[in-house]
Amino acid sequence: MTERILVTGNEAVGWGAIAAGCLHFFGYPVTPQNEITEWFARELPKRGGCFVQSQSETGSINMLFGAAATGVRAITTTSGPGWGLMQEGISSIANAEVPCVIVNVQRGGPGAGTTRHGQMDYLSVTRGGGQGGYKNIVLAPASVQEIYYLTQLAFYLADKYRNLVILLSDGILGQMIEPLELRSRSFAPLPEKDWAIKGLKWHKDGRRRVVMAMQGLMPTPPHPPYANYLQLLEALNKKYMMMEKEEVRYDTFEADNAEIIIVSYGYTARVSKEAIVLARKEGIKVGMIRPITAWPFPYQIIREKALNGAKFLVVEDSLGQLVEDVKMAVQGMAEVSLLGALARHDPTDVGMILPERVLEEILKGA
C-alpha cells in the first residue's frame, strides 16, 4: 500500500530527492525555501547521507560541482539573491557537463527582497543566467505531488544528458501543504558514469579522470576527448538539440475546443485552472496549456492553437517573462495578453493573483 503523508511543497523536494537516491545536499538558508534545508539537515544523517550548510550560495554551488564530479547524485536549493550568487558556478557546471540538480523557490524582486513570493526568475533560469550561452532543462511543478515526481525526473534527466536540471518552484508552492503519495518513479537504464572522478583503482582502464570547467581549452581524456573549443560547442549544441526534440513536456486543461488559451505555470496555473472552471460555467470556451518544461518550451502546441484561431492570456506573477516565450511561439499569428504582478489583490508582499481577477480578464477577452 502506498504511504500518504501531509507535507509542504518544500518538504516534497526532500522526499523526491531521497526517492531518486540522492544523499548529498549543500545549501545555505534563505527564505522561502528554508524548509528544504531543514528537511535535509534532519533526514540525511539518518540515512547515512551528507548534509553541508555552506558559508554562502557561492560555496553551495561549488560544493555541488565537486560532489557531482565524483558521480554521486547531489542537490542544492536556493531562492532570490542566492540564485544570483550561483551563476558563475552554474556556468562552470555547464562547461564541465556535470549532472546535478538545483531547486529555485522563487521570491519577488528585483534585489534582495524579503520573504515575498513571486515568479520573477523565469528568464534567468530558462536563458542561462551566467556567462557563456549554456542551456539547462527547467521543470516547473504546480503541486506538492508534482514537486515530488519532478525532483525524481530531474535527477534522471541530469544523468541522461550530463547536464544541470533546475526545478523552478515558487514561494506559494513551497509553503503549500497537500497530501503526498510516496511512490518512486521508474526510468530507463542509464549509462555508467565512467567519466566521474573515483580514483584510479575504480577504473578498469587504470586511467585518471579529469573533470574541469575549462573544456575546449585543452583535451581532458578520456571523457570526453574535446581537442578544441569548436568540438565542445558542437557537442553541447548536439545535446541541446536532442533535449529540445525529446524532453518537451506540458499539460492541458479544457484546451481542445478553447477559443482563449491561458498559459501559466506554478501557483498561477492552479489559480488559472479555477478561473477556467468558473468561466466554462458561463459558457466561455477557455482552456489552459501549462508548460511542465519551461525549457525546452512547448512552442509547437501553442503555435498550433494560434493557427487554429485561439487568443492567448499569459498569467504569471511577474511584469512579463513567460509571455515572451508565448509571443515567440505564436509568431504574430494571435493576440497575446498578459495578466501579471500588477494584478495582485494586495499591494503588500502578501499580494497574489486570485482566480476572480483571472476570470475578470477572461471575460474581457471573450
Side-chain angles (χ1 to χ4, degrees):
M1 183 177 178
T2 302
E3 183 181 1
R4 297 181 84 232
I5 57 177
L6 194 64
V7 298
T8 66
N10 282 341
E11 291 168 327
V13 170
W15 288 108
I18 292 297
C22 173
L23 293 175
H24 302 82
F25 175 91
F26 310 89
Y28 185 80
V30 57
T31 56
Q33 64 84 54
N34 279 336
E35 291 82 6
I36 307 177
T37 308
E38 292 170 357
W39 192 95
F40 281 111
R42 182 181 69 246
E43 297 295 332
L44 282 183
K46 299 177 185 177
R47 295 167 167 82
C50 173
F51 170 86
V52 178
Q53 179 176 314
S54 63
Q55 73 278 30
S56 71
E57 290 85 356
T58 304
S60 300
I61 195 65
N62 285 287
M63 292 176 188
L64 181 71
F65 185 173
T70 69
V72 301
R73 286 187 163 179
I75 187 172
T76 189
T77 62
T78 191
S79 181
W83 170 251
L85 288 172
M86 290 184 176
Q87 298 311 306
E88 183 180 6
I90 291 173
S91 182
S92 296
I93 288 170
N95 177 283
E97 297 183 274
V98 173
C100 49
V101 173
I102 299 176
V103 179
N104 181 357
V105 183
Q106 298 173 90
R107 77 187 201 190
T114 62
T115 56
R116 71 171 71 102
H117 64 89
Q119 293 179 316
M120 299 183 179
D121 294 340
Y122 180 90
L123 286 179
S124 68
V125 168
T126 59
R127 300 301 190 266
Q131 72 278 13
Y134 55 88
K135 298 185 179 182
N136 300 314
I137 294 176
V138 182
L139 303 174
S143 70
V144 170
Q145 189 71 52
E146 198 170 34
I147 289 172
Y148 173 73
Y149 282 148
L150 292 186
T151 300
Q152 295 176 61
L153 177 63
F155 282 103
Y156 171 75
L157 293 177
D159 285 343
K160 178 179 178 180
Y161 291 102
R162 281 190 62 184
N163 208 86
L164 177 63
V165 178
I166 299 167
L167 189 79
L168 186 62
S169 182
D170 59 62
I172 290 181
L173 282 182
Q175 300 299 320
M176 183 182 297
I177 298 176
E178 291 182 321
L180 171 64
E181 292 189 357
L182 296 176
R183 291 183 294 177
S184 299
R185 298 188 64 174
S186 297
F187 301 101
L190 290 165
E192 182 183 354
K193 295 182 179 180
D194 194 41
W195 52 267
I197 299 172
K198 298 179 181 179
L200 290 177
K201 72 175 183 178
W202 300 106
H203 295 291
K204 296 177 182 178
D205 59 7
R207 300 182 65 185
R208 190 181 306 277
R209 302 300 190 261
V210 178
V211 175
M212 67 176 186
M214 298 176 67
Q215 290 195 119
L217 178 64
M218 62 186 73
T220 55
H223 300 286
Y226 301 142
N228 53 54
Y229 183 46
L230 186 58
Q231 285 188 9
L232 168 66
L233 293 181
E234 288 173 342
L236 292 178
N237 186 59
K238 181 179 179 180
K239 176 169 65 173
Y240 297 153
M241 290 178 66
M242 182 62 68
M243 292 175 184
E244 290 182 293
K245 179 182 178 182
E246 301 290 340
E247 304 304 340
V248 173
R249 290 170 169 82
Y250 61 88
D251 187 29
T252 62
F253 179 69
E254 298 282 11
D256 289 344
N257 69 339
E259 297 172 355
I260 301 173
I261 296 288
I262 292 178
V263 183
S264 190
Y265 75 102
Y267 99 82
T268 52
R270 296 171 66 110
V271 168
S272 298
K273 189 173 182 179
E274 184 173 340
I276 290 169
V277 172
L278 296 172
R280 282 275 175 175
K281 290 179 179 178
E282 297 189 26
I284 300 173
K285 294 180 179 179
V286 58
M288 180 166 61
I289 296 173
R290 178 175 67 88
I292 295 175
T293 48
W295 196 90
F297 190 77
Y299 291 109
Q300 185 60 36
I301 182 65
I302 293 174
R303 189 170 298 125
E304 290 172 1
K305 294 297 182 182
L307 285 169
N308 290 333
K311 296 186 292 185
F312 293 84
L313 172 61
V314 179
V315 182
E316 56 175 316
D317 200 353
S318 75
L319 295 178
Q321 299 187 24
L322 169 63
V323 69
E324 294 190 14
D325 270 331
V326 177
K327 288 180 177 179
M328 283 194 287
V330 305
Q331 297 178 341
M333 295 182 294
E335 177 185 334
V336 179
S337 302
L338 169 67
L339 186 68
L342 298 183
R344 286 179 167 214
H345 82 294
D346 188 284
T348 68
D349 289 353
V350 302
M352 60 181 291
I353 301 172
L354 296 176
E356 294 77 13
R357 185 63 182 86
V358 179
L359 177 61
E360 180 183 332
E361 205 69 16
I362 293 171
L363 294 173
K364 286 181 182 178

